[in-house]
Amino acid sequence: MSDQWSALAEEIAGHAQDYVDGLTRVAGGEGGDAIWSLLLVEVAQVSLAGAKLGANRDVILSGNYEPAMSEDPDIDGVRTALAERLKPVDDYAEVFDPYKDTGVTPYRLSDDLTAVAADLIHGLRHYHAGRPHEALWWWQYSYFNTWGNHAGAAMRALQALAAHSRLDVAEETTV
């Protein structure tokens, strides 16, 4: 594996781990009133990592084969905890593909955020098993296929929540 790919794998692994750790902390109750802002930062940072994957040439596995791994860990507990914390705003509407499917689709922030985490965790498992090239391939493939869309949709929803929390304030009356 070239030095360029090794450096990118290390960088993406760091972003992926930060995202998973941050999401887990928020699901566990951290963040208080700043939950939307914290989640927005987490999603924006991992989206930057995804954009770097998207801007690079395709990562091709030797033999075009992903080594088998045991089943990924179940993160439904994180999804459930997020759904509870996000309950009043968990459901939102999104356009899945503005070029092909312009219908509005119902989404859930808790589902989007954990779908991103699940794909990142799969790549982290390759990375920690000493297979950084496979990790890069997985992260790039799943960025285009799933987590990039979920992160983008979640970022738009979280940005709207952050904006509403700051801009939708009652006017002060002066006496």
Side-chain angles (χ1 to χ4, degrees):
M1 189 160 122
S2 74
D3 288 342
Q4 173 199 2
W5 288 129
S6 294
L8 183 60
E10 185 176 341
E11 178 183 354
I12 302 300
H15 286 294
Q17 192 65 60
D18 288 347
Y19 177 84
V20 171
D21 292 347
L23 191 66
T24 302
R25 284 192 306 273
V26 168
E30 288 185 26
D33 292 340
I35 186 173
W36 323 129
S37 298
L38 290 173
L39 288 171
L40 180 61
V41 169
E42 294 294 344
V43 173
Q45 287 177 334
V46 82
S47 293
L48 172 61
K52 287 182 179 186
L53 290 165
N56 268 289
R57 61 186 164 88
D58 287 349
V59 178
I60 307 295
L61 293 180
S62 176
N64 207 19
Y65 169 77
E66 178 186 12
M69 294 192 309
S70 61
E71 204 168 304
D72 286 335
D74 182 6
I75 59 169
D76 196 52
V78 172
R79 187 200 58 75
T80 303
L82 282 171
E84 187 60 35
R85 288 206 71 197
L86 298 168
K87 196 173 203 169
V89 296
D90 200 21
D91 294 315
Y92 69 100
E94 174 70 13
V95 174
F96 181 72
D97 183 336
Y99 295 104
K100 291 186 177 182
D101 180 9
T102 58
V104 175
T105 305
Y107 273 62
R108 283 194 179 98
L109 269 171
S110 57
D111 290 344
D112 289 331
L113 296 168
T114 52
V116 172
D119 281 343
L120 296 175
I121 289 168
H122 185 87
L124 282 168
R125 292 182 66 222
H126 278 302
Y127 184 80
H128 293 305
R131 297 187 300 268
H133 197 246
E134 285 83 352
L136 274 178
W137 170 82
W138 175 258
W139 286 321
Q140 187 181 57
Y141 167 78
S142 60
Y143 171 73
F144 288 127
N145 197 40
T146 55
W147 74 265
N149 180 64
H150 286 288
M155 187 160 31
R156 285 185 293 281
L158 289 164
Q159 190 278 332
L161 287 170
H164 288 301
S165 73
R166 303 260 173 49
L167 301 175
D168 297 350
V169 294
E171 286 189 36
E172 290 185 32
T173 54
T174 54
V175 183

